[in-house]
Structures are given as C-alpha cells and as structure tokens.
C-alpha cells in the first residue's frame, strides 16, 4: 500500500468574497474550470484543474485563512513575468523571508486569505539567493561564450 499522487487541494473562503475568489482563480491565475459531480454542481465555489491536480474552491462559514501559514505552491517558468502579471491585477506580493536553495519565490493571499507560494526553480547557489532581499526582477545568470 502506498500513496500514488495528490489528486486535489481544497481552499475555502467566506461568503463575502465569493465573486472575487472565482475571478481570481479563473481570471487572474487563468486556471481551467472543470465540471463538478451532479450531486454538488449547484453548491458554491468551483473546481479547477492544472496538470493532473485539481483545486477545489469552496465557501466555508467562519473561514479564518488569514491567520494560517498553511499554503500550496504554483511553479512558474518566469517568476518576474508572473509577479508583474499579479501586480497588474492589484495582488500584493509578500517577499520570501526564508530563501531555499535552487528556488526563488514569493507569497500572496487570495481574496479568501489563503496563502499561496509562487516559485521558480533555478540553478544558483544558496549564498547568491541569501543576498537578495526580494526576488523581484531576478535574472537568471547567463553564460557568455567568448
């Protein structure tokens, strides 16, 4: 017996931000909405799919997501471009306070207060990353052939 994969992640939101949540995941993040089973198709929220993993966005009474550090991570191929895209939509970027080797990242909160990590995995040394206060405008090192 073993775990095979992550099938889905569920995030929640209070009723007041339902429209903003659905707009955020479909419009800002560009996730593809998928059909839900008939038994819950009329419930609030939406289901999205990215690769093989589903993201279930559901309303929750008394959701208190702002108080939590729990999060999930989206991997991007161009952190700078994605950061600019988010800023164009008024999304507040939360700088990385604990750099990890081989990863540049930042965090944000969705309209329901859920914490989301956005990361680009790069080949660089941990010491190089530690010297960066904020990874905005991060440039991957280029190799000059002369």
């Amino acid at each position: 017996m073993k775990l095979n994969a992550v099938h889905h992640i569920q995030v929640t939101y209070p009723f007041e931000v339902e429209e903003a949540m659905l707009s955020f995941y479909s419009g800002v993040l560009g996730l593809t909405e998928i059909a839900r089973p008939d038994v819950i198709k009329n419930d609030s929220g939406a289901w999205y799919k990215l690769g093989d993993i589903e993201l279930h966005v559901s309303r929750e009474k008394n959701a208190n997501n702002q108080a939590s550090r729990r999060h999930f991570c989206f991997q991007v191929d161009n952190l700078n471009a994605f950061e600019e895209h988010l800023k164009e939509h008024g999304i507040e970027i939360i700088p990385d306070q604990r750099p990890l080797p081989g990863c540049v990242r930042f965090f944000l909160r969705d309209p329901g207060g859920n914490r989301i990590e956005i990361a680009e995995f790069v080949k660089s040394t941990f010491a190089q990353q530690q010297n960066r206060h904020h990874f905005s405008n991060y440039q991957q090192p280029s190799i000059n052939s002369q």
Side-chain angles (χ1 to χ4, degrees):
M1 181 179 89
K2 66 176 184 163
L3 298 175
N4 292 323
V6 173
H7 178 268
H8 72 270
I9 298 166
Q10 181 178 29
V11 296
T12 62
Y13 60 89
F15 174 77
E16 308 81 59
V17 299
E18 182 165 29
E19 188 175 317
M21 281 290 283
L22 302 181
S23 176
F24 176 78
Y25 283 99
S26 63
V28 177
L29 295 185
L31 297 181
T32 301
E33 187 171 353
I34 58 173
R36 296 182 287 173
D38 286 343
V39 68
I40 60 169
K41 71 179 181 182
N42 294 322
D43 289 358
S44 63
W47 287 10
Y48 301 95
K49 189 160 183 109
L50 181 63
D52 292 333
I53 298 177
E54 295 179 9
L55 179 68
H56 299 178
V57 179
S58 304
R59 187 168 62 205
E60 179 179 35
K61 187 177 181 180
N62 300 321
N64 186 16
N65 298 318
Q66 285 283 29
S68 178
R69 289 188 60 235
R70 76 178 172 267
H71 68 279
F72 58 96
C73 176
F74 287 116
Q75 180 179 346
V76 296
D77 59 4
N78 186 326
L79 190 69
N80 293 333
F82 202 77
E83 179 179 5
E84 289 307 312
H85 168 76
L86 292 170
K87 286 179 177 179
E88 289 171 6
H89 290 278
I91 306 299
E92 179 185 353
I93 303 301
I94 304 165
D96 182 9
Q97 300 297 315
R98 300 181 76 185
L100 299 175
C103 175
V104 289
R105 64 188 183 161
F106 58 80
F107 296 86
L108 58 97
R109 296 264 180 192
D110 71 15
N114 297 289
R115 188 170 181 239
I116 301 171
E117 178 180 341
I118 307 293
E120 179 180 353
F121 296 92
V122 297
K123 294 184 180 193
S124 65
T125 67
F126 185 60
Q128 287 172 321
Q129 292 177 14
Q130 282 183 311
N131 291 330
R132 302 185 70 81
H133 297 117
H134 177 51
F135 296 114
S136 180
N137 299 319
Y138 174 77
Q139 299 294 319
Q140 288 187 1
S142 62
I143 300 173
N144 295 329
S145 56
Q146 296 180 8

